[in-house]
PDB file of all heavy atoms in Angstrom:
ATOM      1  N   LYS A   1     120.678  44.406  71.983  1.00 86.00           N
ATOM      2  CA  LYS A   1     120.381  45.118  73.218  1.00 86.00           C
ATOM      3  C   LYS A   1     119.088  44.656  73.877  1.00 86.00           C
ATOM      4  O   LYS A   1     118.731  45.154  74.947  1.00 86.00           O
ATOM      5  CB  LYS A   1     120.296  46.622  72.954  1.00 86.00           C
ATOM      6  CG  LYS A   1     121.594  47.247  72.469  1.00 86.00           C
ATOM      7  CD  LYS A   1     121.415  48.740  72.240  1.00 86.00           C
ATOM      8  CE  LYS A   1     122.704  49.380  71.780  1.00 86.00           C
ATOM      9  NZ  LYS A   1     122.544  50.841  71.545  1.00 86.00           N
ATOM     10  N   ASN A   2     118.398  43.716  73.237  1.00 85.00           N
ATOM     11  CA  ASN A   2     117.089  43.270  73.727  1.00 85.00           C
ATOM     12  C   ASN A   2     116.180  44.464  74.010  1.00 85.00           C
ATOM     13  O   ASN A   2     115.539  44.551  75.061  1.00 85.00           O
ATOM     14  CB  ASN A   2     117.234  42.400  74.975  1.00 85.00           C
ATOM     15  CG  ASN A   2     117.716  41.001  74.657  1.00 85.00           C
ATOM     16  OD1 ASN A   2     117.483  40.481  73.561  1.00 85.00           O
ATOM     17  ND2 ASN A   2     118.389  40.375  75.606  1.00 85.00           N
ATOM     18  N   THR A   3     116.139  45.363  73.063  1.00 92.00           N
ATOM     19  CA  THR A   3     115.362  46.585  73.193  1.00 92.00           C
ATOM     20  C   THR A   3     114.375  46.705  72.038  1.00 92.00           C
ATOM     21  O   THR A   3     114.722  46.422  70.890  1.00 92.00           O
ATOM     22  CB  THR A   3     116.276  47.821  73.222  1.00 92.00           C
ATOM     23  OG1 THR A   3     117.170  47.719  74.332  1.00 92.00           O
ATOM     24  CG2 THR A   3     115.468  49.096  73.356  1.00 92.00           C
ATOM     25  N   VAL A   4     113.161  47.117  72.361  1.00 95.00           N
ATOM     26  CA  VAL A   4     112.131  47.317  71.355  1.00 95.00           C
ATOM     27  C   VAL A   4     111.653  48.761  71.422  1.00 95.00           C
ATOM     28  O   VAL A   4     111.616  49.368  72.505  1.00 95.00           O
ATOM     29  CB  VAL A   4     110.958  46.329  71.537  1.00 95.00           C
ATOM     30  CG1 VAL A   4     110.246  46.563  72.865  1.00 95.00           C
ATOM     31  CG2 VAL A   4     109.985  46.413  70.378  1.00 95.00           C
ATOM     32  N   TYR A   5     111.287  49.317  70.267  1.00 96.00           N
ATOM     33  CA  TYR A   5     110.850  50.696  70.169  1.00 96.00           C
ATOM     34  C   TYR A   5     109.488  50.762  69.496  1.00 96.00           C
ATOM     35  O   TYR A   5     109.126  49.896  68.699  1.00 96.00           O
ATOM     36  CB  TYR A   5     111.842  51.532  69.354  1.00 96.00           C
ATOM     37  CG  TYR A   5     113.270  51.426  69.826  1.00 96.00           C
ATOM     38  CD1 TYR A   5     114.133  50.475  69.289  1.00 96.00           C
ATOM     39  CD2 TYR A   5     113.756  52.278  70.819  1.00 96.00           C
ATOM     40  CE1 TYR A   5     115.444  50.375  69.727  1.00 96.00           C
ATOM     41  CE2 TYR A   5     115.066  52.182  71.259  1.00 96.00           C
ATOM     42  CZ  TYR A   5     115.903  51.232  70.714  1.00 96.00           C
ATOM     43  OH  TYR A   5     117.204  51.135  71.151  1.00 96.00           O
ATOM     44  N   LEU A   6     108.760  51.803  69.798  1.00 98.00           N
ATOM     45  CA  LEU A   6     107.491  52.059  69.126  1.00 98.00           C
ATOM     46  C   LEU A   6     107.430  53.536  68.768  1.00 98.00           C
ATOM     47  O   LEU A   6     107.306  54.386  69.655  1.00 98.00           O
ATOM     48  CB  LEU A   6     106.297  51.682  70.004  1.00 98.00           C
ATOM     49  CG  LEU A   6     104.929  51.810  69.336  1.00 98.00           C
ATOM     50  CD1 LEU A   6     104.782  50.778  68.217  1.00 98.00           C
ATOM     51  CD2 LEU A   6     103.809  51.647  70.357  1.00 98.00           C
ATOM     52  N   GLN A   7     107.540  53.832  67.477  1.00 98.00           N
ATOM     53  CA  GLN A   7     107.388  55.193  66.987  1.00 98.00           C
ATOM     54  C   GLN A   7     105.912  55.436  66.722  1.00 98.00           C
ATOM     55  O   GLN A   7     105.301  54.731  65.917  1.00 98.00           O
ATOM     56  CB  GLN A   7     108.199  55.400  65.709  1.00 98.00           C
ATOM     57  CG  GLN A   7     108.088  56.800  65.119  1.00 98.00           C
ATOM     58  CD  GLN A   7     108.685  57.857  66.011  1.00 98.00           C
ATOM     59  OE1 GLN A   7     109.791  57.690  66.511  1.00 98.00           O
ATOM     60  NE2 GLN A   7     107.952  58.946  66.220  1.00 98.00           N
ATOM     61  N   MET A   8     105.348  56.422  67.397  1.00 98.00           N
ATOM     62  CA  MET A   8     103.925  56.705  67.335  1.00 98.00           C
ATOM     63  C   MET A   8     103.719  58.082  66.700  1.00 98.00           C
ATOM     64  O   MET A   8     104.074  59.096  67.291  1.00 98.00           O
ATOM     65  CB  MET A   8     103.310  56.669  68.732  1.00 98.00           C
ATOM     66  CG  MET A   8     103.654  55.399  69.511  1.00 98.00           C
ATOM     67  SD  MET A   8     103.302  55.528  71.291  1.00 98.00           S
ATOM     68  CE  MET A   8     101.523  55.632  71.264  1.00 98.00           C
ATOM     69  N   ASN A   9     103.145  58.097  65.508  1.00 98.00           N
ATOM     70  CA  ASN A   9     102.891  59.337  64.786  1.00 98.00           C
ATOM     71  C   ASN A   9     101.392  59.552  64.612  1.00 98.00           C
ATOM     72  O   ASN A   9     100.599  58.628  64.751  1.00 98.00           O
ATOM     73  CB  ASN A   9     103.561  59.310  63.409  1.00 98.00           C
ATOM     74  CG  ASN A   9     105.065  59.185  63.477  1.00 98.00           C
ATOM     75  OD1 ASN A   9     105.705  59.705  64.383  1.00 98.00           O
ATOM     76  ND2 ASN A   9     105.645  58.497  62.492  1.00 98.00           N
ATOM     77  N   SER A  10     101.026  60.783  64.288  1.00 98.00           N
ATOM     78  CA  SER A  10      99.624  61.138  64.057  1.00 98.00           C
ATOM     79  C   SER A  10      98.728  60.647  65.184  1.00 98.00           C
ATOM     80  O   SER A  10      97.680  60.038  64.958  1.00 98.00           O
ATOM     81  CB  SER A  10      99.152  60.573  62.713  1.00 98.00           C
ATOM     82  OG  SER A  10      99.940  61.058  61.646  1.00 98.00           O
ATOM     83  N   LEU A  11      99.142  60.925  66.400  1.00 98.00           N
ATOM     84  CA  LEU A  11      98.426  60.408  67.565  1.00 98.00           C
ATOM     85  C   LEU A  11      97.032  60.999  67.677  1.00 98.00           C
ATOM     86  O   LEU A  11      96.806  62.165  67.369  1.00 98.00           O
ATOM     87  CB  LEU A  11      99.227  60.683  68.829  1.00 98.00           C
ATOM     88  CG  LEU A  11     100.426  59.752  69.025  1.00 98.00           C
ATOM     89  CD1 LEU A  11     101.417  60.340  70.016  1.00 98.00           C
ATOM     90  CD2 LEU A  11      99.945  58.377  69.503  1.00 98.00           C
ATOM     91  N   LYS A  12      96.109  60.161  68.131  1.00 98.00           N
ATOM     92  CA  LYS A  12      94.712  60.522  68.304  1.00 98.00           C
ATOM     93  C   LYS A  12      94.317  60.383  69.771  1.00 98.00           C
ATOM     94  O   LYS A  12      94.932  59.616  70.507  1.00 98.00           O
ATOM     95  CB  LYS A  12      93.820  59.604  67.457  1.00 98.00           C
ATOM     96  CG  LYS A  12      94.152  59.586  65.975  1.00 98.00           C
ATOM     97  CD  LYS A  12      93.303  58.559  65.241  1.00 98.00           C
ATOM     98  CE  LYS A  12      93.623  58.522  63.762  1.00 98.00           C
ATOM     99  NZ  LYS A  12      92.804  57.496  63.048  1.00 98.00           N
ATOM    100  N   PRO A  13      93.278  61.094  70.205  1.00 97.00           N
ATOM    101  CA  PRO A  13      92.836  60.950  71.594  1.00 97.00           C
ATOM    102  C   PRO A  13      92.530  59.501  71.979  1.00 97.00           C
ATOM    103  O   PRO A  13      92.772  59.120  73.130  1.00 97.00           O
ATOM    104  CB  PRO A  13      91.577  61.815  71.652  1.00 97.00           C
ATOM    105  CG  PRO A  13      91.825  62.878  70.634  1.00 97.00           C
ATOM    106  CD  PRO A  13      92.544  62.172  69.514  1.00 97.00           C
ATOM    107  N   GLU A  14      92.029  58.701  71.050  1.00 96.00           N
ATOM    108  CA  GLU A  14      91.720  57.312  71.345  1.00 96.00           C
ATOM    109  C   GLU A  14      92.957  56.447  71.548  1.00 96.00           C
ATOM    110  O   GLU A  14      92.844  55.278  71.943  1.00 96.00           O
ATOM    111  CB  GLU A  14      90.821  56.696  70.265  1.00 96.00           C
ATOM    112  CG  GLU A  14      91.343  56.882  68.852  1.00 96.00           C
ATOM    113  CD  GLU A  14      90.702  58.060  68.142  1.00 96.00           C
ATOM    114  OE1 GLU A  14      90.559  59.137  68.771  1.00 96.00           O
ATOM    115  OE2 GLU A  14      90.332  57.913  66.957  1.00 96.00           O
ATOM    116  N   ASP A  15      94.153  56.982  71.286  1.00 97.00           N
ATOM    117  CA  ASP A  15      95.389  56.279  71.590  1.00 97.00           C
ATOM    118  C   ASP A  15      95.764  56.397  73.064  1.00 97.00           C
ATOM    119  O   ASP A  15      96.717  55.743  73.510  1.00 97.00           O
ATOM    120  CB  ASP A  15      96.549  56.812  70.741  1.00 97.00           C
ATOM    121  CG  ASP A  15      96.367  56.533  69.261  1.00 97.00           C
ATOM    122  OD1 ASP A  15      95.951  55.417  68.906  1.00 97.00           O
ATOM    123  OD2 ASP A  15      96.660  57.441  68.448  1.00 97.00           O
ATOM    124  N   THR A  16      95.058  57.228  73.802  1.00 98.00           N
ATOM    125  CA  THR A  16      95.335  57.403  75.221  1.00 98.00           C
ATOM    126  C   THR A  16      95.164  56.084  75.962  1.00 98.00           C
ATOM    127  O   THR A  16      94.106  55.458  75.906  1.00 98.00           O
ATOM    128  CB  THR A  16      94.411  58.465  75.824  1.00 98.00           C
ATOM    129  OG1 THR A  16      94.681  59.740  75.227  1.00 98.00           O
ATOM    130  CG2 THR A  16      94.626  58.578  77.327  1.00 98.00           C
ATOM    131  N   ALA A  17      96.211  55.653  76.661  1.00 98.00           N
ATOM    132  CA  ALA A  17      96.204  54.374  77.362  1.00 98.00           C
ATOM    133  C   ALA A  17      97.518  54.213  78.108  1.00 98.00           C
ATOM    134  O   ALA A  17      98.451  54.992  77.927  1.00 98.00           O
ATOM    135  CB  ALA A  17      96.026  53.215  76.371  1.00 98.00           C
ATOM    136  N   VAL A  18      97.576  53.181  78.936  1.00 98.00           N
ATOM    137  CA  VAL A  18      98.842  52.736  79.491  1.00 98.00           C
ATOM    138  C   VAL A  18      99.418  51.709  78.533  1.00 98.00           C
ATOM    139  O   VAL A  18      98.746  50.736  78.179  1.00 98.00           O
ATOM    140  CB  VAL A  18      98.682  52.126  80.892  1.00 98.00           C
ATOM    141  CG1 VAL A  18     100.026  51.618  81.413  1.00 98.00           C
ATOM    142  CG2 VAL A  18      98.108  53.160  81.855  1.00 98.00           C
ATOM    143  N   TYR A  19     100.644  51.928  78.109  1.00 98.00           N
ATOM    144  CA  TYR A  19     101.300  51.051  77.149  1.00 98.00           C
ATOM    145  C   TYR A  19     102.271  50.132  77.882  1.00 98.00           C
ATOM    146  O   TYR A  19     103.104  50.588  78.666  1.00 98.00           O
ATOM    147  CB  TYR A  19     102.039  51.867  76.086  1.00 98.00           C
ATOM    148  CG  TYR A  19     101.106  52.478  75.071  1.00 98.00           C
ATOM    149  CD1 TYR A  19     100.248  53.511  75.422  1.00 98.00           C
ATOM    150  CD2 TYR A  19     101.069  52.003  73.760  1.00 98.00           C
ATOM    151  CE1 TYR A  19      99.369  54.059  74.501  1.00 98.00           C
ATOM    152  CE2 TYR A  19     100.204  52.547  72.828  1.00 98.00           C
ATOM    153  CZ  TYR A  19      99.354  53.572  73.206  1.00 98.00           C
ATOM    154  OH  TYR A  19      98.487  54.111  72.278  1.00 98.00           O
ATOM    155  N   TYR A  20     102.169  48.826  77.604  1.00 98.00           N
ATOM    156  CA  TYR A  20     102.969  47.815  78.273  1.00 98.00           C
ATOM    157  C   TYR A  20     103.881  47.102  77.287  1.00 98.00           C
ATOM    158  O   TYR A  20     103.442  46.678  76.218  1.00 98.00           O
ATOM    159  CB  TYR A  20     102.077  46.762  78.936  1.00 98.00           C
ATOM    160  CG  TYR A  20     101.188  47.303  80.029  1.00 98.00           C
ATOM    161  CD1 TYR A  20      99.908  47.765  79.742  1.00 98.00           C
ATOM    162  CD2 TYR A  20     101.628  47.341  81.345  1.00 98.00           C
ATOM    163  CE1 TYR A  20      99.094  48.258  80.743  1.00 98.00           C
ATOM    164  CE2 TYR A  20     100.813  47.828  82.349  1.00 98.00           C
ATOM    165  CZ  TYR A  20      99.551  48.284  82.043  1.00 98.00           C
ATOM    166  OH  TYR A  20      98.737  48.762  83.037  1.00 98.00           O
ATOM    167  N   CYS A  21     105.124  46.958  77.668  1.00 97.00           N
ATOM    168  CA  CYS A  21     106.084  46.191  76.897  1.00 97.00           C
ATOM    169  C   CYS A  21     105.957  44.711  77.246  1.00 97.00           C
ATOM    170  O   CYS A  21     105.730  44.359  78.406  1.00 97.00           O
ATOM    171  CB  CYS A  21     107.499  46.688  77.202  1.00 97.00           C
ATOM    172  SG  CYS A  21     108.821  45.807  76.334  1.00 97.00           S
ATOM    173  N   ARG A  22     106.104  43.851  76.248  1.00 96.00           N
ATOM    174  CA  ARG A  22     106.063  42.412  76.466  1.00 96.00           C
ATOM    175  C   ARG A  22     107.237  41.735  75.774  1.00 96.00           C
ATOM    176  O   ARG A  22     107.593  42.086  74.652  1.00 96.00           O
ATOM    177  CB  ARG A  22     104.755  41.806  75.939  1.00 96.00           C
ATOM    178  CG  ARG A  22     104.576  40.348  76.318  1.00 96.00           C
ATOM    179  CD  ARG A  22     103.323  39.753  75.719  1.00 96.00           C
ATOM    180  NE  ARG A  22     103.510  39.405  74.315  1.00 96.00           N
ATOM    181  CZ  ARG A  22     102.902  38.407  73.694  1.00 96.00           C
ATOM    182  NH1 ARG A  22     102.026  37.655  74.368  1.00 96.00           N
ATOM    183  NH2 ARG A  22     103.117  38.173  72.419  1.00 96.00           N
ATOM    184  N   ALA A  23     107.847  40.761  76.447  1.00 93.00           N
ATOM    185  CA  ALA A  23     108.923  39.961  75.875  1.00 93.00           C
ATOM    186  C   ALA A  23     108.629  38.492  76.118  1.00 93.00           C
ATOM    187  O   ALA A  23     108.169  38.114  77.196  1.00 93.00           O
ATOM    188  CB  ALA A  23     110.268  40.339  76.481  1.00 93.00           C
ATOM    189  N   VAL A  24     108.892  37.665  75.110  1.00 90.00           N
ATOM    190  CA  VAL A  24     108.588  36.241  75.184  1.00 90.00           C
ATOM    191  C   VAL A  24     109.849  35.416  75.010  1.00 90.00           C
ATOM    192  O   VAL A  24     110.566  35.557  74.010  1.00 90.00           O
ATOM    193  CB  VAL A  24     107.558  35.835  74.117  1.00 90.00           C
ATOM    194  CG1 VAL A  24     107.266  34.343  74.212  1.00 90.00           C
ATOM    195  CG2 VAL A  24     106.277  36.638  74.273  1.00 90.00           C
ATOM    196  N   THR A  25     110.126  34.556  75.982  1.00 87.00           N
ATOM    197  CA  THR A  25     111.168  33.540  75.867  1.00 87.00           C
ATOM    198  C   THR A  25     110.444  32.199  75.982  1.00 87.00           C
ATOM    199  O   THR A  25     109.560  31.916  75.175  1.00 87.00           O
ATOM    200  CB  THR A  25     112.231  33.700  76.970  1.00 87.00           C
ATOM    201  OG1 THR A  25     111.615  33.561  78.262  1.00 87.00           O
ATOM    202  CG2 THR A  25     112.883  35.071  76.892  1.00 87.00           C
ATOM    203  N   LEU A  26     110.808  31.370  76.955  1.00 86.00           N
ATOM    204  CA  LEU A  26     109.976  30.229  77.312  1.00 86.00           C
ATOM    205  C   LEU A  26     108.789  30.699  78.150  1.00 86.00           C
ATOM    206  O   LEU A  26     107.832  29.954  78.350  1.00 86.00           O
ATOM    207  CB  LEU A  26     110.776  29.188  78.085  1.00 86.00           C
ATOM    208  CG  LEU A  26     111.877  28.462  77.310  1.00 86.00           C
ATOM    209  CD1 LEU A  26     112.605  27.485  78.218  1.00 86.00           C
ATOM    210  CD2 LEU A  26     111.309  27.737  76.104  1.00 86.00           C
ATOM    211  N   TYR A  27     108.858  31.918  78.633  1.00 90.00           N
ATOM    212  CA  TYR A  27     107.817  32.532  79.436  1.00 90.00           C
ATOM    213  C   TYR A  27     107.490  33.902  78.856  1.00 90.00           C
ATOM    214  O   TYR A  27     108.172  34.402  77.965  1.00 90.00           O
ATOM    215  CB  TYR A  27     108.263  32.676  80.895  1.00 90.00           C
ATOM    216  CG  TYR A  27     108.741  31.388  81.509  1.00 90.00           C
ATOM    217  CD1 TYR A  27     110.093  31.069  81.531  1.00 90.00           C
ATOM    218  CD2 TYR A  27     107.846  30.482  82.070  1.00 90.00           C
ATOM    219  CE1 TYR A  27     110.539  29.886  82.093  1.00 90.00           C
ATOM    220  CE2 TYR A  27     108.281  29.300  82.629  1.00 90.00           C
ATOM    221  CZ  TYR A  27     109.626  29.006  82.641  1.00 90.00           C
ATOM    222  OH  TYR A  27     110.065  27.831  83.197  1.00 90.00           O
ATOM    223  N   THR A  28     106.442  34.515  79.395  1.00 93.00           N
ATOM    224  CA  THR A  28     106.039  35.847  78.980  1.00 93.00           C
ATOM    225  C   THR A  28     106.270  36.828  80.119  1.00 93.00           C
ATOM    226  O   THR A  28     105.879  36.564  81.256  1.00 93.00           O
ATOM    227  CB  THR A  28     104.561  35.874  78.567  1.00 93.00           C
ATOM    228  OG1 THR A  28     104.368  34.989  77.459  1.00 93.00           O
ATOM    229  CG2 THR A  28     104.145  37.284  78.154  1.00 93.00           C
ATOM    230  N   TYR A  29     106.885  37.960  79.816  1.00 94.00           N
ATOM    231  CA  TYR A  29     107.193  38.983  80.804  1.00 94.00           C
ATOM    232  C   TYR A  29     106.576  40.310  80.391  1.00 94.00           C
ATOM    233  O   TYR A  29     106.496  40.627  79.200  1.00 94.00           O
ATOM    234  CB  TYR A  29     108.709  39.146  80.953  1.00 94.00           C
ATOM    235  CG  TYR A  29     109.412  37.888  81.394  1.00 94.00           C
ATOM    236  CD1 TYR A  29     109.918  36.990  80.464  1.00 94.00           C
ATOM    237  CD2 TYR A  29     109.558  37.582  82.745  1.00 94.00           C
ATOM    238  CE1 TYR A  29     110.549  35.823  80.861  1.00 94.00           C
ATOM    239  CE2 TYR A  29     110.192  36.418  83.152  1.00 94.00           C
ATOM    240  CZ  TYR A  29     110.684  35.545  82.203  1.00 94.00           C
ATOM    241  OH  TYR A  29     111.313  34.385  82.613  1.00 94.00           O
ATOM    242  N   TRP A  30     106.158  41.073  81.392  1.00 96.00           N
ATOM    243  CA  TRP A  30     105.512  42.361  81.170  1.00 96.00           C
ATOM    244  C   TRP A  30     106.226  43.472  81.913  1.00 96.00           C
ATOM    245  O   TRP A  30     106.701  43.289  83.036  1.00 96.00           O
ATOM    246  CB  TRP A  30     104.055  42.318  81.637  1.00 96.00           C
ATOM    247  CG  TRP A  30     103.195  41.380  80.853  1.00 96.00           C
ATOM    248  CD1 TRP A  30     102.946  40.075  81.126  1.00 96.00           C
ATOM    249  CD2 TRP A  30     102.462  41.690  79.669  1.00 96.00           C
ATOM    250  NE1 TRP A  30     102.101  39.542  80.179  1.00 96.00           N
ATOM    251  CE2 TRP A  30     101.785  40.515  79.276  1.00 96.00           C
ATOM    252  CE3 TRP A  30     102.304  42.854  78.901  1.00 96.00           C
ATOM    253  CZ2 TRP A  30     100.962  40.467  78.146  1.00 96.00           C
ATOM    254  CZ3 TRP A  30     101.493  42.807  77.779  1.00 96.00           C
ATOM    255  CH2 TRP A  30     100.830  41.618  77.423  1.00 96.00           C
ATOM    256  N   GLY A  31     106.286  44.641  81.298  1.00 96.00           N
ATOM    257  CA  GLY A  31     106.792  45.814  81.974  1.00 96.00           C
ATOM    258  C   GLY A  31     105.723  46.430  82.860  1.00 96.00           C
ATOM    259  O   GLY A  31     104.582  45.971  82.911  1.00 96.00           O
ATOM    260  N   GLN A  32     106.091  47.488  83.574  1.00 96.00           N
ATOM    261  CA  GLN A  32     105.172  48.151  84.494  1.00 96.00           C
ATOM    262  C   GLN A  32     104.194  49.080  83.791  1.00 96.00           C
ATOM    263  O   GLN A  32     103.174  49.449  84.367  1.00 96.00           O
ATOM    264  CB  GLN A  32     105.953  48.932  85.547  1.00 96.00           C
ATOM    265  CG  GLN A  32     106.719  48.076  86.533  1.00 96.00           C
ATOM    266  CD  GLN A  32     105.802  47.233  87.384  1.00 96.00           C
ATOM    267  OE1 GLN A  32     105.758  46.015  87.244  1.00 96.00           O
ATOM    268  NE2 GLN A  32     105.052  47.866  88.266  1.00 96.00           N
ATOM    269  N   GLY A  33     104.497  49.459  82.572  1.00 97.00           N
ATOM    270  CA  GLY A  33     103.624  50.320  81.801  1.00 97.00           C
ATOM    271  C   GLY A  33     104.062  51.771  81.822  1.00 97.00           C
ATOM    272  O   GLY A  33     104.662  52.238  82.782  1.00 97.00           O
ATOM    273  N   THR A  34     103.744  52.486  80.751  1.00 97.00           N
ATOM    274  CA  THR A  34     104.007  53.906  80.662  1.00 97.00           C
ATOM    275  C   THR A  34     102.775  54.603  80.098  1.00 97.00           C
ATOM    276  O   THR A  34     102.162  54.129  79.143  1.00 97.00           O
ATOM    277  CB  THR A  34     105.260  54.194  79.796  1.00 97.00           C
ATOM    278  OG1 THR A  34     105.548  55.592  79.808  1.00 97.00           O
ATOM    279  CG2 THR A  34     105.070  53.732  78.354  1.00 97.00           C
ATOM    280  N   GLN A  35     102.397  55.716  80.712  1.00 98.00           N
ATOM    281  CA  GLN A  35     101.171  56.418  80.344  1.00 98.00           C
ATOM    282  C   GLN A  35     101.380  57.272  79.100  1.00 98.00           C
ATOM    283  O   GLN A  35     102.333  58.053  79.025  1.00 98.00           O
ATOM    284  CB  GLN A  35     100.698  57.307  81.497  1.00 98.00           C
ATOM    285  CG  GLN A  35      99.453  58.132  81.183  1.00 98.00           C
ATOM    286  CD  GLN A  35      98.202  57.294  81.076  1.00 98.00           C
ATOM    287  OE1 GLN A  35      97.949  56.440  81.924  1.00 98.00           O
ATOM    288  NE2 GLN A  35      97.419  57.524  80.030  1.00 98.00           N
ATOM    289  N   VAL A  36     100.475  57.129  78.145  1.00 98.00           N
ATOM    290  CA  VAL A  36     100.426  57.990  76.968  1.00 98.00           C
ATOM    291  C   VAL A  36      99.078  58.698  76.969  1.00 98.00           C
ATOM    292  O   VAL A  36      98.036  58.046  76.982  1.00 98.00           O
ATOM    293  CB  VAL A  36     100.600  57.192  75.665  1.00 98.00           C
ATOM    294  CG1 VAL A  36     100.345  58.081  74.449  1.00 98.00           C
ATOM    295  CG2 VAL A  36     101.992  56.589  75.594  1.00 98.00           C
ATOM    296  N   THR A  37      99.109  60.018  76.973  1.00 98.00           N
ATOM    297  CA  THR A  37      97.881  60.810  76.971  1.00 98.00           C
ATOM    298  C   THR A  37      97.895  61.742  75.767  1.00 98.00           C
ATOM    299  O   THR A  37      98.830  62.531  75.600  1.00 98.00           O
ATOM    300  CB  THR A  37      97.738  61.629  78.259  1.00 98.00           C
ATOM    301  OG1 THR A  37      97.746  60.753  79.390  1.00 98.00           O
ATOM    302  CG2 THR A  37      96.438  62.420  78.248  1.00 98.00           C
TER     303      THR A  37
END
């Protein structure tokens, strides 16, 4: 499915950030980001 997951447990305030997905073929591609607070 060309899908990647990230299970995030025991979250801390310092984990607050915009999280970006990245995929690499012959090139590198980035997603738009999703906010985690």
Side-chain angles (χ1 to χ4, degrees):
K1 297 180 179 180
N2 284 332
T3 300
V4 64
Y5 308 92
L6 185 67
Q7 180 66 47
M8 309 165 67
N9 298 326
S10 302
L11 284 162
K12 304 175 180 179
E14 52 263 44
D15 294 317
T16 296
V18 178
Y19 284 70
Y20 297 91
C21 179
R22 188 183 79 149
V24 180
T25 60
L26 293 179
Y27 306 95
T28 299
Y29 300 92
W30 295 91
Q32 291 296 110
T34 184
Q35 177 71 46
V36 172
T37 302

